Amino acid sequence: MLADVPLRFRIGSGFLRKDVLIVLALGLVIRYVVGFFLTYTYDVHSWALIISNFESGNGLYDVAGHNYTPTWGYVLGTFSAIAEALGLDVFGERLTDALPVEGYDGWFYSASVPTVAFALAVKTMFYIVDVAVGYAIFWIIRERTSDERNAAIGFALWFLCPFVIAVGGIGGMFDTFTVLLTLLTVIFLMRDRYLLAGMSLGTAALMKIFPGVLVFVMIAYVLLKHRDDGKAFPALLQSFVGLVAMIVVMLIPQILDGTLSDCFGFLSSRAGDGMGVGGDMITYATFAVYAAIFAVTLLLAYRMARGKGTDPDGTLLTMLMVNAAVLFLYPSTPQYILLLTPFLIMQIVLTDRRYRIPYIVLAVGTTMFALGGNATFLLSVAGFTDLVSMDAVLAGTDWFLTPGWLGIAPISVIYYGGGVLQYIGTILVLAVYAKVRSCSGTSAVPAS
């Protein structure tokens, strides 16, 4: 029987090699321990609310609650069917003892608290996708180097990255789904599966808009790769058909029930978001900044398409990292940085170890930034177990948010300090890229 199993799928080889399995086991243990004790109630409870809404017969947008495109709603619908089959029927409660956490202006703390069981069940989805993303990184590095040890290092840098663990294991945000779909798009492009690449990218862009911005670099990759064989136009056409077909399929229910405009309300309602700053002036500035970022994105794609075609796959991976870093030059939240992370990791392993510097800065800063919930992360454990008292959680929350030495609250050091470090790390990605290109004797952007 063992002789019939392909070598790469045997225990001790390929993705099932010993070092990968050790990292996998360690990463899962950390995730479940962290996920049991710490939960950002605001977002995780919103998933419970969305599920409850459509289980009661409402559509995704019939009542308030679902603030994203329908793709994430479909994932939650699948999850709810599985959860119901497993007997998970209590998602959370409004805890009156926790109401004081909602009295802190400017902070999204909620006394609507998910149960520990529901939170862990939701997070398990993210953990599974984290593994899949890790495998995609492993696959790409192995394809590029034929070196499974380097591929294992790439997997470890992803799966043990502290802010990757924090975003899914504490924050309960679904950006790791978007990362997986983006990496699948890259793999399909590398394997000349252009219809599937378009379908994957279309799904990713419907979950979060950022992967859609990368489309121009991907188009440039196709033009670069097929510059001399006449296959560029058919490849782009297939990709376009796949992308449009997937978007239409995903939006058909909303087109039919007249809620299509609700699917994209987040684009304007969150235009002032970033590091928690809003207002009309910021909204206008945000559109202006993103217009500039869009212009730089087009320039990157143009210069890439006209560059040397000696290594299109390597150029694609590098320019996706650069494009993602440029995209997040407007201050982003921790979960958005997940889209940059796989491409940064690949550069560490595939091109230059100097990229470790921005990776380390992001590992520290983005993790700090993701911990803005402070003691409120313990609300689920306090509300549904006897391991932590609610009084201790409230006292801890008050300590974090009360100004102390020099009038600075501890949370300001963690949250805003982490946000600044994350921004520095993002800039360092571009600075190291420019340095690497300069040392190699080429311009900072691939050119003809």
Side-chain angles (χ1 to χ4, degrees), residues 24-41:
L24 180 63
L26 178 60
L28 287 175
V29 169
I30 294 173
R31 278 167 169 78
Y32 276 104
V33 171
V34 169
F36 178 86
F37 285 99
L38 306 178
T39 295
Y40 182 47
T41 60

Side-chain angles (χ1 to χ4, degrees), residues 219-221 223-224 227 300-308 446:
I219 291 173
Y221 164 78
L223 295 174
L224 182 65
R227 176 185 295 163
L300 291 173
Y302 174 76
R303 297 294 297 276
M304 177 180 170
R306 291 177 58 85
K308 298 178 181 179

Side-chain angles (χ1 to χ4, degrees), residues 84-98:
E84 183 178 356
L86 295 176
L88 182 62
D89 53 0
V90 178
F91 298 160
E93 295 180 15
R94 180 80 171 162
L95 301 181
T96 56
D97 290 345

